[in-house]
Amino acid sequence: MPRLSSGAVSLAIEHAQSAASGPSPPPSLSLSVVLGRTRALSGHLTEVGISMAASCEVRYGTGQWDTHEQAAEGGSRRSPTTPLSDAPLQTDTDTEAETEAPEPRERDTPEDVVLEAPANGLAFHPARNLLAAGDVDGDVFVFEYSCREGETKELWSSGHHLKSCRDLAFSEDGRKLVTVSKDKAIHILDVEQGRLDQRTSKAHSAAINSLLLVDEHLLATGDDSGRIRLWDQRKEGPIMDLKQHEEYIADMALDPAKKLLLTAGGDGCLGVFNIKRHRFELLSEAQSGDLTSVTLMKRGKKVACGSSEGTIYLFNWNGFGATSDRFALKAESVDCIVPITDNLLCTGSTDGIIRAVNILPNRVVGSVGQHAGEPVEQLALSHCGQFLASSGHDHRLKFWNMTQLRSVVVDDYRKRKKKGGQLQALSSKAWGMDDFFAGLKEEEETVPDAAEEESEDSD
């Protein structure tokens, strides 16, 4: 086949395009001449097209030609694309929103806190969602609690005590945390930073076991020898120093007027001290077991004391010499007490069960929760009254919801619980009847006297 110059090829292509598009060829070149030259060049152009297809790989988007012949013919063999729809286009913002972590699950109570050692002391902040705990190693922790899963966290910890931290309490304004220890020292910590602001070393000659804040300046402490001391933070040394108990001071309570300080002693006696006049008032008759805890009930008309023998002793106000009533639980001991309402209180025992007890009429209402087979060391009620916190020998701080318990009303004095009856679960986390409480019995023992009948009728 004769080779043509590039100018001739260009001219032939130009006229062929013009003929295909419709306009008539220029007058200087007839239609027959154009067609003839086009036929002459057709073979050469085909060879050129094939060689171009062979020398390069043809692609369209993500697809590619299957064969060189299809490339030369212009047939597309690419993968089909997704057709457009009316749905809105997905943006980077939408993608980020989809990959964001889901919202934390809302719980009925905050999650348990696990410590390295059992906690002796527990205290809630008076206004914020903070819980303080002091353990047997002398460490003090402050946690911020939340019902959102994963949001309960430790804010700070302090290791200033050399021995076990026995008790602690927040100040009325919530800015200070006061702690006492077996090392005989009193510490005052800044709540925001955990900084030690004040230390009173050798505040007692024996290990300090109990603490009670009277107001923003006054605090009372009790030690293992039975000594009571009253402190004014603005002064050096105690402003009251009295020893009437023969054994350790287990717990203390204060009347609403902040005049009388009540003490529960290991000698089985309830002590009464006038902190306004800095003098001792009286000791009750000794009970058969240690008095481990004390609190006011029935709008201040009754004083309830827990004991190491599992009995709750009741005293009339201004009748502290002898008990007006006693209420025996089927428990190894009543180690701690916290009031929930004027009539209801919760007890912690060495059998690990947290019981709800109604005072006058005396009833075990049910179980709030448990530390599985481990003694309950301490209880505390939150500032809002919704949560009860407990510490046990299982190294855990647990939270219990008090909503259901607050709605309980016991008003039948004559109805007695059947002997051998099982505890009713009063929270969603309290174990069912078929496991921990299977076969558990609650029995009350009432020792009536004249004062009991009078108090029942008057209340």
Side-chain angles (χ1 to χ4, degrees), residues 58-79:
V58 182
R59 294 182 181 273
Y60 183 95
T62 58
Q64 68 180 25
W65 304 110
D66 292 340
T67 63
H68 297 299
E69 289 81 0
Q70 292 168 354
E73 294 174 0
S76 175
R77 303 294 292 178
R78 58 189 173 90
S79 302

Side-chain angles (χ1 to χ4, degrees), residues 118-334:
N120 288 324
L122 279 182
F124 278 100
H125 191 275
R128 298 168 57 189
N129 291 343
L130 301 180
L131 176 66
D135 68 16
V136 297
D137 290 337
D139 296 322
V140 176
F141 303 88
V142 171
F143 299 93
E144 183 177 31
Y145 61 90
S146 172
C147 286
R148 286 179 173 269
E149 201 166 62
E151 293 190 6
T152 296
K153 60 184 179 181
E154 178 186 328
L155 295 184
W156 54 263
S157 63
S158 169
H160 293 293
H161 282 301
L162 302 177
K163 295 182 180 180
S164 172
C165 178
R166 297 277 186 85
D167 205 355
L168 43 72
F170 283 98
S171 61
E172 289 183 351
D173 59 9
R175 298 172 60 186
K176 303 295 181 182
L177 179 66
V178 184
T179 65
V180 295
S181 169
K182 187 180 178 181
D183 63 9
K184 310 172 187 178
I186 303 172
H187 290 175
I188 300 178
L189 304 167
D190 179 79
V191 171
E192 291 297 329
Q193 301 178 10
R195 180 183 64 249
L196 179 62
D197 286 347
Q198 183 178 336
R199 182 205 306 265
T200 303
S201 301
K202 298 181 180 180
H204 283 249
S205 58
I208 305 175
N209 193 60
S210 183
L211 168 71
L212 179 69
L213 299 192
V214 178
D215 57 31
E216 59 179 331
H217 300 300
L218 298 180
L219 61 92
T221 54
D223 66 20
D224 282 354
S225 69
R227 184 175 297 277
I228 298 291
R229 283 184 172 177
L230 185 67
W231 305 82
D232 189 332
Q233 299 179 41
R234 299 164 294 185
K235 301 178 181 180
E236 292 186 5
I239 61 175
M240 184 182 81
D241 187 355
L242 298 171
K243 185 181 184 305
Q244 297 296 327
H245 288 279
E246 298 298 327
E247 296 290 342
Y248 65 96
I249 305 299
D251 195 15
M252 297 185 288
L254 192 66
D255 72 322
K258 298 184 177 180
K259 177 183 177 182
L260 295 182
L261 177 70
L262 308 180
T263 58
D267 54 6
C269 296
L270 174 68
V272 183
F273 299 84
N274 190 319
I275 60 175
K276 292 290 186 182
R277 298 187 178 183
H278 301 170
R279 73 185 187 190
F280 164 71
E281 294 289 342
L282 62 89
L283 281 180
S284 74
E285 62 183 11
Q287 309 306 318
S288 57
D290 299 5
L291 295 189
T292 57
S293 49
V294 58
T295 189
L296 273 66
M297 300 296 293
K298 308 295 284 188
R299 300 177 298 279
K301 296 179 181 179
K302 293 286 184 179
V303 176
C305 295
S307 71
S308 59
E309 60 181 8
T311 299
I312 296 178
Y313 294 96
L314 298 179
F315 296 84
N316 287 327
W317 189 258
N318 291 331
F320 302 116
T323 61
S324 64
D325 196 4
R326 66 184 64 183
F327 178 37
L329 310 180
K330 185 68 182 293
E332 297 178 18
S333 67
V334 178

Side-chain angles (χ1 to χ4, degrees), residues 1-2 4 8-9 11-13 15-16 30-47:
M1 180 181 296
L4 301 177
V9 172
L11 181 61
I13 292 174
H15 285 288
S30 65
L31 180 59
S32 60
V33 173
V34 173
L35 293 176
R37 293 182 178 179
T38 302
R39 293 191 187 95
L41 294 174
S42 61
H44 182 69
L45 292 175
T46 301
E47 293 178 2

